[in-house]
Structures are given as C-alpha cells and as structure tokens.
Amino acid sequence: MTLNIISAEKVEYTGEVECVTMPGVEGSFSVLNHHAAMISALTAGTIEYGSAGGAKESRTIRGGIADIKDNVVSVCIY
C-alpha cells in the first residue's frame, strides 16, 4: 500500500509500505493492505512504518488526521 505523510510545509514521506502503526485518539492502531476505509484523528506520538524490504522507519508527530482508502494511507500531520 502507499503511505503519504504530509505537513503544512512539505511532503514528509511517500512510499510503498506493508504496515503502518499510528497513535489514534482511542489508542494506537495498525493498518495493513486492504484495510477498510476510515478516517481517524491522531494524537501526539510516533508513526511507525515498514517497507517490503524490511526497513522500518518512524516519525514523531504532535497530532494529525489519517485517511485510509483503497490501499492508500494519507496522513496530514502538525
């Protein structure tokens, strides 16, 4: 699936990933391929994501919104 992490200033990350874990308002949640469509508010914490090659990355955020639809995860952060 495709992960897009966008801030007000720039596109922070765009790439293919196998899994994304995000800090939701009601607790952390993970998104895999073919996840149901949803929108979620995010709180301060860490977004963790892993690519097909096994490399894992993370990014600390202060909050934001995640939109998951059709194997695309779009995260607007602040």
Side-chain angles (χ1 to χ4, degrees), residues 22-76:
M22 295 176 272
V25 172
E26 306 238 346
S28 289
F29 65 97
S30 296
V31 176
L32 300 170
N33 281 326
H34 308 294
H35 194 284
M38 69 179 271
I39 296 174
S40 177
L42 304 176
T43 62
T46 303
I47 298 176
E48 298 174 340
Y49 47 97
S51 65
K56 298 209 184 259
E57 296 183 51
S58 64
R59 182 172 309 273
T60 301
I61 64 169
R62 294 181 307 196
I65 298 172
D67 177 38
I68 297 103
K69 185 175 180 185
D70 297 330
N71 275 339
V72 177
V73 179
S74 298
V75 182
C76 297

Side-chain angles (χ1 to χ4, degrees), residues 11-30:
V11 174
E12 302 281 337
Y13 177 85
T14 296
E16 292 296 313
V17 298
E18 288 190 355
C19 179
V20 182
T21 301
M22 295 176 272
V25 172
E26 306 238 346
S28 289
F29 65 97
S30 296

